[in-house]
Amino acid sequence: MSVTGGVVSALDLSLRGQAAAIAAGEVEATELLDATLARIEERNPAINAVVETFPERSREMLAAAPDGPLRGVPIVVKDEWPLPWRAQRFGAAELLAPTAPGESGPYRALRDAGAVIVGVGNMHELGSGSTGNVSVYGAARNPWDTERCPGGSSSGPAAATAARLVAGAVGADGLGSVRFPAAYCGLTGLKPTFGRSAMAGHHMASTTTLIVSGPLCADAADCRLLGSALFGEELVSGDAAGLRIGVVRDAVSEDVAPEVRDACEAAIEALRTATGGEVREVELADLPAATLAAILAINAESLSGVAPERLNDLHPEISPINRGFTKYRMLLPAAAVVQAGRVRTLMRRRLAALFDDVDVIVWPTTPAVAPPLEAPMVELPSGTHTADQANVRGAALANLTGIPAISVPVGLSSDGLPIALQLQAAWGRDELLLDAAEALERANERRWVESLPPLARAEPTEA
Amino acid sequence: MEASDRAEDFVPAGLASFGIEADEVDLAVMNAAHQMFWPGIRGLLSLDLSAVEPERNPDMSRSPEAS
C-alpha cells in the first residue's frame, strides 16, 4: 500500500484503516507520520485548521508508542489541553486561568493507545462561539467551502479531519463545540456522557460540570475507536434493533431551514426502517429555559475565581466581542445561576422519565448549514439570527444534563454543504448512539459519511 | 419600582459596582448582550420552580435517580 498515492493512499484511509494497516505491517508508521506532516503543509494553508506542528515531538511519541489500538495513527488535538511541550492557548491571546505545559488526560489517553499527536487544532477564541471564525490564530475555514465557517469551538479538529489532514481529532464540547463543527464539516462527532472521557489537565477540569472531550471522525466506527481511547474502555458494538426514536415538535426541530428539515426527516425515517424501530412524538417543555440555564452554568464556572478587577487588564489582542462579553458575563446575577440549577434538576428528571419511553431523541444538530465567515448569520422560518443564537438551542440540553449526544451527517444542501442529525440518549448510553449512527450510515449506504469536500478530493502528491 | 430591560440602566451600574472599566466598544457589545440575554433571564427568574426538589451534589454522569 502506498502512503501518499497510488491505488490506495494510507493518508485517505479511515482511522481504523490506518490503525489496521500499521498493525498488519502494510504501512510504516514513520512514513505515515511524514506523509501526514507533508499533507498538513500542503492543504492546511487553505483552511487554517492546524495551528502548530512539532515533528520532533511527534517522532518521539511514535518511537515510544506502545502496541495499542491506535499505534502510529496521527491525531490532531484541540488547543484546549496542555501537552508536555506546550500549554493550551484556548484560541486566545491569554486565558483568565493560569496554564502550563503538562500531561493532560487526552494526551495520556492518546499516548497510551499508541497514537501520535501530530498537531494542535485551531479553535474559536475562548471556546465562546459555534462558528470558528474568531481566533487568535485567525479564522479556521470549512473544507467544503473555504468562505464558510467550519463550526466551533472545535473548528480546527473538524476542518483538519474533513480535509483528511488526519483521520481523527479530539475536540471538546461545553455547549455543542464538538457537534457544531461535526455538522458543518460533514463529520461524525460524539459528545460523551459527562465524566466518561478524559478531561484531566483542562483549565476548567475542577470546576466544569458541562465540558467533555470527544472524538471527531469521518464515521461512527472511527469515533468508537478514538472514543474508546478517550474513555479508557472499549465502546463495544451493539445492536440498535427496535430503536424507539423520540421526536420533539419544538423550535429545535421546526424552526430550521427547509433543506435541513427535509434531510433530517428523511434520516429519521431511514433510521426507523433500518432498526425496525418506531418514531414517537414526545414532549420536552422548557427547552429555551434549559438553554439559558446551560449558558448561565458554564458562564459561572468559567468565571470561577476571577476577580472583577482582573477584567481591567485583559490582553489587548482579545477580540472586542469577547472583551465586552466577558465583562457582561461578570454582571449576571447569582439568583439566576441558582435558578438555572433548578432548571437543570427539572430537565434531568424529565429526561430520566422520557428515556423510559424512548431510546433516543433526535433533532437537527444545527438549524442551518455553515454560514459565511464574514457574517455568520442564518435564515430560519422565524427570521434572521446569529448562528450562535440559533445553534445553541439544540445543543445545550446535553451539556446541562450530562447526557451523551452524537452528530451524524445526513445530507448535503443545494449549495453542497453538509446537513446533520443529532441523536441524544440516556446517561452512559454512548455506545447506543454509536450503534444507531452506524445503522443510519448503513441505511444511507454510507453516502454521507463517505462524501468528501473539494479540498479532500485533490489528487494526492507523490512524496 | 418597575423592572427594566434597558441596558443603560443595568450595564453602567453593574460595571461601577464591580469597578470594571469599559470603553465604547465594550459597552456596545455589553448592550447587545444585554438585549439578547436579559429578557430570558427575567423569564427564568419568574419561573415558579418551588416544587422542584434540588439535587444534592448531583452526579452529572448518571441519571438523577441513580446519582
Side-chain angles (χ1 to χ4, degrees), chain A residues 130 175 180 291 295 387-397:
Chain A
S130 70
L175 281 179
F180 301 141
T291 299
I295 293 168
D388 285 346
Q389 280 179 294
N391 289 340
V392 71
R393 65 189 186 185
L397 180 70

Side-chain angles (χ1 to χ4, degrees), chain B residues 44-57:
Chain B
L44 183 73
L45 288 168
S46 69
L47 286 177
D48 180 5
L49 300 175
S50 56
V52 180
E53 185 71 25
E55 279 186 274
R56 299 289 178 193
N57 301 315

Side-chain angles (χ1 to χ4, degrees), chain A residues 193-194 209 289 292 295-296 308 311-312 320-321 323-325 327-328 330-333 335-336 339-340 342-346 348-349 352 389 400-402 427, chain B residues 10-11 14-15 18-22 25-26 29-30 33-34 36-38 40-41 44-45 47 49-50 52-55 58-65 67:
Chain A
T193 298
F194 181 81
T209 59
L292 184 55
I295 293 168
L296 288 166
L311 304 186
N312 292 330
I321 195 162
R323 294 173 66 82
F325 191 48
K327 291 175 182 180
Y328 180 75
M330 184 61 91
L331 309 187
L332 294 177
Q339 188 79 333
R342 285 188 180 267
V343 171
R344 179 178 236 182
T345 295
L346 178 70
R348 278 169 52 78
R349 291 192 177 132
Q389 280 179 294
L400 181 73
T401 59
W427 300 263
Chain B
F10 178 83
V11 172
L15 289 171
F18 285 116
I20 301 172
E21 298 160 6
V25 176
D26 293 340
V29 172
M30 296 178 81
H34 192 71
M36 189 182 304
F37 287 108
W38 197 248
I41 288 173
L44 183 73
L45 288 168
L47 286 177
L49 300 175
S50 56
V52 180
E53 185 71 25
E55 279 186 274
D59 179 352
M60 300 307 296
S61 71
R62 308 176 73 181
S63 77
E65 284 78 8
S67 62

Side-chain angles (χ1 to χ4, degrees), chain A residues 101-122:
Chain A
E103 289 191 0
S104 57
Y107 166 80
R108 288 181 188 150
L110 293 169
R111 177 197 63 193
D112 295 348
V116 176
I117 298 174
V118 72
V120 169
N122 202 348

